[in-house]
Amino acid sequence: MANGKKKRGFITYRSYLFKDKDPIIDCIRTARSEKKMSFKELKEESSVSVSTLQNWERGRTISPMFKTAMAAINALGKKLGSKNGKPFLYD
């Protein structure tokens, strides 16, 4: 069992860095940190819960709902674009 142990028929891993997550999460994290916004401030602007935002950034959510991600993006004052199939945020 590579990098994990079996518990009740499931393999639990020490790290979930192997998951393919939506790259929009990294864009939102970068924009939030550039604006120096806390999770609570972003929650107040976007109505996206703090736990949801934290789950995105901690890798617990692989792919956020589009509507929820757009609420966070709009609250950050950004727009969503795509170049070569990869999303990016711009002013």
Side-chain angles (χ1 to χ4, degrees):
M1 263 168 251
N3 200 17
K5 53 184 165 176
K6 200 164 186 174
K7 183 178 181 181
R8 291 190 206 164
F10 298 100
I11 297 175
T12 57
Y13 292 94
R14 290 184 216 132
S15 173
Y16 288 93
L17 298 176
F18 304 109
K19 288 184 179 180
D20 292 326
K21 64 179 178 183
D22 195 332
I24 197 66
I25 294 171
D26 292 326
C27 295
I28 293 170
R29 178 191 313 122
T30 302
R32 186 183 70 79
S33 64
E34 285 174 355
K35 286 194 166 251
K36 296 180 174 40
M37 285 182 91
S38 68
F39 289 115
K40 188 175 180 180
E41 291 169 335
L42 185 53
K43 179 230 180 247
E44 291 169 359
E45 294 291 324
S46 67
S47 298
V48 178
S49 72
V50 170
S51 62
T52 297
L53 295 167
Q54 289 174 338
N55 285 340
W56 289 353
E57 292 192 13
R58 292 178 181 158
R60 293 184 184 137
T61 301
I62 298 171
S63 181
M65 291 183 5
F66 182 76
K67 183 178 178 180
T68 311
M70 286 306 297
I73 291 167
N74 291 332
L76 290 164
K78 302 283 186 176
K79 295 179 183 164
L80 179 63
S82 177
K83 187 173 187 178
N84 297 327
K86 296 184 179 181
F88 68 93
L89 302 181
Y90 64 95
D91 293 326

